[in-house]
Amino acid sequence: MTDYAIYDVFTGTALAGNPLAVVFGADHYSDAQMQAIAREFNLSETVFVLTPENPAHSARLRIFTTARELPFAGHPTVGAAIAVAGRRLGGEVPANGMDMVQMLEEAIGPVRCAVRISPDGAGFAEFDLPRLSRQLEAEIAPADIGVALGLDPHEIGFENHRVSLWSAGVPFVLVPVHDLAAAAKAECSAAEWERVAPMGDGHLAFAYVYCRGGVNHTSSFHARMFAPGDGMPEDPATGSAAAALSGAIHHFDGLTEGNHALVIEQGVEMGRPSLIHLHIDCAGTEVSHVRIGGKAVRVAEGKLLV
């Protein structure tokens, strides 16, 4: 029997955010078994915690959607970091909380995470991007993207933000829209998206719709993510998309030297509001460092009998 837990990630409130299955002690599972277990949980992602290859590291992670393995993803990194830290403490959390630093091995490379475990049960984790966002070459027709997402041409784009393809390990077509109403209107046709979406890093890019502001007054951007080809009609919180967006924000907004602290809200239209913290550090005119963080809360636990 193998222990597992379900966490709601990028939220401090149960039954909000993005649910994640965390399977502990998963060294004995084959690739096929991990994929089958991910399909069984039927969540956007399931993360398997294995013994690290480097004994100085905290854990090795393998991340699966219901359709395939991912080299990197944000909400599994945040959720697994908090889950691994909580197990290490064995539930004995000091009254003032506990801070720790973890190094997690993912297919994309080592990922450094700072974790804070709170006695109220919600944790917070922030990780350094293992790979900075970069723009990928692609021929993208905004009109075709609009048809696939049910958006009119005048609703796409704001200020100097334009449709573009970016990746920090997972590729996304970033689709800026005029306002919250346009974002709420978006609906992704799986057939149309497969027809018009470009490839990036060897995979069909996902759709990430965003605009400035948000329902929450602290939000810098409001976002929605669609990945119908991976069994996700819509995802309530996507750290890898926020990672990709960091490059576009720097490119289109011309960020200046220093730290830029942003908050991205997602999942509002799904009734699972999420808040993703994004920090972009610039040295001169270039991005030098990016961090993504958020809360997570455990909502269930159990044992796999396979």
Side-chain angles (χ1 to χ4, degrees), residues 8 11-17 272 297-299:
D8 285 336
T11 179
T13 304
L15 308 182
R272 297 193 67 95
V297 58
R298 186 176 59 182
V299 295

Side-chain angles (χ1 to χ4, degrees), residues 145-162:
I145 296 296
V147 169
L149 294 174
L151 296 170
D152 297 328
H154 73 273
E155 294 173 307
I156 297 177
F158 63 80
E159 300 162 14
N160 66 328
H161 282 244
R162 297 293 179 264

Side-chain angles (χ1 to χ4, degrees), residues 208-247:
Y208 191 67
V209 175
Y210 70 99
C211 65
R212 288 207 195 276
V215 175
N216 190 306
H217 73 279
T218 66
S219 298
S220 312
F221 292 92
H222 177 94
R224 300 179 69 186
M225 198 284 273
F226 304 95
D230 260 31
M232 285 185 287
E234 185 170 356
D235 194 38
T238 318
S240 57
L245 182 64
S246 67

Side-chain angles (χ1 to χ4, degrees), residues 192-215:
E192 285 296 317
W193 187 256
E194 186 173 351
R195 183 180 67 85
V196 304
M199 298 290 290
D201 291 338
H203 294 285
L204 189 72
F206 299 146
Y208 191 67
V209 175
Y210 70 99
C211 65
R212 288 207 195 276
V215 175

Side-chain angles (χ1 to χ4, degrees), residues 85-107:
R87 263 176 93 84
R88 181 175 296 178
L89 292 176
E92 299 296 326
V93 182
N96 60 348
M98 173 70 76
D99 295 324
M100 62 183 71
V101 175
Q102 298 186 117
M103 190 66 76
L104 302 176
E105 299 172 358
E106 300 187 20

Side-chain angles (χ1 to χ4, degrees), residues 110-148:
V111 180
R112 179 184 178 276
C113 299
V115 183
R116 179 167 183 80
I117 300 297
S118 300
D120 64 3
F124 182 91
E126 185 178 65
F127 64 88
D128 300 328
L129 276 195
R131 181 187 299 171
L132 293 178
S133 177
R134 71 194 194 285
Q135 187 170 11
L136 305 179
E137 293 294 329
E139 292 187 11
I140 304 174
D144 289 343
I145 296 296
V147 169

